[in-house]
Amino acid sequence: MVSLPPLDRESVIPLYHQIQQRLLGQIQAGVFKLGEPLPSAQEIASALGVSPMTVRQAIKSLCELGVIYSEQGKGTFVSGIKIDKNFRQVLSFTEDMKARGWVPATRVLKFEVRKPAPDVADALRLGPEEEIFHLARLRLADALPLGIEYCSLPRRLCPDLMERFDPSTSLYEALSRSYGIHIAVADEVVEVGFAKKQEAQLLKTAKNHPAFLFTRIAYVQSGQPIEHVRSVYRGDRYRVVNRLTRVNRELLEASMAR
């Protein structure tokens, strides 16, 4: 039996989009689990009092987002398709999601001035008395929680950041626009681990669910480090991809001989 929140028929939001969001909410809540079939369009239509065509439009949009997939003659299932994490480009989360045609969203967990941890101070080459801006954010794409990012920036580079920056928007855009700080290159390390209990709750995953742990240090063109980021991303929604190139042996030998 299909159980979905009722539709608001007086809302300006199209019915198909309301259905999409209700189905998405059920998937996020674990009502429909990975690999499990969704109710048929006819069942959903009967439960909500709409036409099957309207439901199919909602299902199609979820398929396009990669949240679900359809198999001819079998039905529609919750997807295990993952987002490719490409190490060849330095993109903010917002830039990355927009490039994929998804709607990025951010929930700010913490934005404050503090003393850096020793590893952060070392990575950013900070003096003993220097402070950082610490920004923790939950990252979502099309309402799906994907990861949590903990960002550290030297306070001296942008002392009035808290007054000039909306932490729910793109940090890279703000740094570029307001301070002329342009990220040129970044070193990123990926490890496999687990989200902590509170992180798992925010990401809507089970405790000790596998996660990708990213650590990134970003630099401007001069080589000065200006950002340290530790991220926890859902292991069931991401995969790491890269292109490896075999070096021309003759060029390699010539380089080593110099």
Side-chain angles (χ1 to χ4, degrees):
M1 183 176 179
V2 181
S3 178
L4 291 170
L7 302 176
D8 182 356
R9 298 179 185 274
E10 296 183 1
S11 172
V12 296
I13 300 174
L15 292 178
Y16 87 89
H17 188 74
Q18 292 186 45
I19 296 169
Q20 179 211 64
Q21 292 301 303
R22 282 155 177 73
L23 289 172
L24 188 58
Q26 297 281 48
I27 292 170
Q28 289 178 305
V31 176
F32 304 120
K33 297 180 173 57
L34 179 67
E36 289 187 353
L38 291 180
S40 70
Q42 187 63 54
E43 290 175 304
I44 297 173
S46 297
L48 295 176
V50 297
S51 70
M53 184 178 295
T54 301
V55 176
R56 291 190 191 100
Q57 190 176 3
I59 289 175
K60 181 183 177 183
S61 66
L62 288 174
C63 285
E64 290 172 349
L65 295 175
V67 176
I68 60 177
Y69 66 95
S70 295
E71 290 189 6
Q72 188 69 31
K74 293 184 178 181
T76 306
F77 302 84
V78 178
S79 176
I81 294 173
K82 300 186 179 185
I83 300 169
D84 290 348
K85 175 67 172 175
N86 191 327
F87 279 104
R88 298 191 299 274
Q89 293 180 302
V90 182
L91 296 174
S92 70
F93 178 86
T94 302
E95 292 169 335
D96 189 12
M97 294 303 108
K98 285 183 176 179
R100 299 174 191 273
W102 293 2
V103 179
T106 295
R107 176 181 164 191
V108 180
L109 305 175
K110 190 171 291 187
F111 189 25
E112 63 184 10
V113 174
R114 62 160 65 167
K115 288 288 186 181
D119 62 322
V120 174
D122 183 59
L124 295 177
R125 304 174 194 167
L126 301 178
E129 300 303 319
E130 287 198 73
E131 295 178 319
I132 60 166
F133 289 109
H134 174 74
L135 174 59
R137 300 187 285 185
L138 175 66
R139 301 300 218 160
L140 306 97
D142 288 316
L144 284 172
L146 296 181
I148 303 169
E149 296 180 349
Y150 305 92
C151 173
S152 299
L153 297 166
R155 187 181 184 185
R156 59 177 159 74
L157 295 180
C158 39
D160 58 349
L161 184 67
M162 296 188 78
E163 289 74 41
R164 302 181 65 179
F165 169 56
D166 176 357
S168 66
T169 62
S170 172
L171 175 62
Y172 284 10
E173 287 183 11
L175 290 176
S176 176
R177 180 180 63 253
S178 300
Y179 301 96
I181 297 174
H182 308 287
I183 305 294
V185 67
D187 293 325
E188 191 160 43
V189 175
V190 58
E191 300 174 276
V192 176
F194 302 99
K196 297 176 182 177
K197 181 179 179 181
Q198 185 177 9
E199 292 172 337
Q201 291 174 345
L202 290 168
L203 294 173
K204 299 188 183 301
T205 61
K207 183 181 177 182
N208 292 329
H209 189 81
F212 284 116
L213 310 178
F214 296 100
T215 302
R216 182 176 73 240
I217 303 173
Y219 305 83
V220 293
Q221 193 64 46
S222 67
Q224 178 186 8
I226 61 98
E227 180 195 40
H228 177 281
V229 182
R230 184 178 72 83
S231 305
V232 181
Y233 274 84
R234 289 177 52 156
D236 62 338
R237 300 303 299 174
Y238 263 80
R239 66 180 180 182
V240 176
V241 299
N242 209 344
R243 172 175 292 178
L244 304 179
T245 303
R246 184 175 172 83
V247 177
N248 183 293
R249 190 173 184 82
E250 293 181 359
L251 291 177
L252 178 61
E253 290 176 348
S255 176
M256 294 176 65
R258 291 175 185 170

